[in-house]
Amino acid sequence: MDGRDALGEAEWFDAHTHIGQNDPDGRKATPEEILGGLDQAGHRRSMLFAMHEPDGYSAANDAVLEAAAASDGRFVPLARIAPNAEGAVDEAKRALAAGAAGFKLHPRSDAFGLPHPVVEEVVALAHARRAPVLFHAGRGIPHLGEAVVELARRYPGARLILAHAGISDLGWIAEDAAQLRNLFFDTAWWNVADQLQLYATIPPGRILYASDMPYGPGIFAAFCFLRVARAVGHGPEALRSIAGAQLARVVAGEEPVDVGPAPGVAAVGQRVIEAERVVSYCSVALQLAFRGFDPSESIALARLACQTRRDETVGELLRYADRLLAIAQENRDARPEVPYAAMPATLLAMVIAGTPEVGVPPIAV
Ligand SMILES: [Zn+2]
């Protein structure tokens, strides 16, 4: 599970981490906590930006810039811009002048849609500097991909990143993504089916490893990335590109490197129905826990689905998933007041069951 062992000298570079103390969702994170998460995962760098700030982003962007300046190069700061706020373009220019490497835009929490004239101005600024713009493209928004594809065509210098595996648009966007060298996807998302579609249908040079810390620990995100990327047959060059080599070029203003075509949906291989049952119940458990509900029944159903008389790899894999799910339930019972307590072990069980061709992990649980 340790990123250092898996990729040797590769410089891991997480595309998606946050700090902030005022997000209405209750999560908080300091720069020290994000550095701790990078260290735990064996990762060198991350792009860093603000969590939701209902009172505006100037001070939050300054906090990100200060954290980056004090980080010995480990944080690459993005300025978060709320397009409907007064002076949004001025804030973007101010942040660039103060050292921001690009921008983060969040259509859900900052309540805007695309196309949007201020977003276009922000993307034009990024185009002039060959800088990244990261769009939240996860839950809670209608799809925005057409507008982003259009911006990527018109502003080829801008490096546009659809966060959260681009799930808002992942179903249809592969052909456009194959043509657009400046359209990227970060991997910060939990559902293994979405992950399989991302790695199978999007060229590996367009995929950027990301955790979404503090929401997703880097060590789990890295495990998920390596497992799913191997499941679709990616080799060392693609893995190094996704882990950080491509993002290093993006933030340096260099041209992205093509590391080959998407492997295609056939690369996902045959599904193992016993394991698919485990995946489906784990998905329900994760969604319930994420929303603060008790996931115990779904975990119990997932554990029942793990019971099999198959004794080759499938049997071993499901016994492994079952042990993880037992840990998930223990964690839940030990801290029922913490809605997320069951999530890490359930997530691991889902990812392992969803990628049976990769085999049983070499770590005992
Ligand atoms: Zn995020």
Side-chain angles (χ1 to χ4, degrees), residues 16 18 104 164 212:
H16 192 140
H18 301 263
K104 162 77 187 280
H164 308 303
D212 205 9

Side-chain angles (χ1 to χ4, degrees), residues 16-18 49 80 104 106 134 136 163-164 188 212-213 215:
H16 192 140
T17 64
H18 301 263
F49 34 88
R80 186 154 166 173
K104 162 77 187 280
H106 202 306
L134 189 142
H136 173 87
H164 308 303
D212 205 9
M213 282 193 280
Y215 299 96

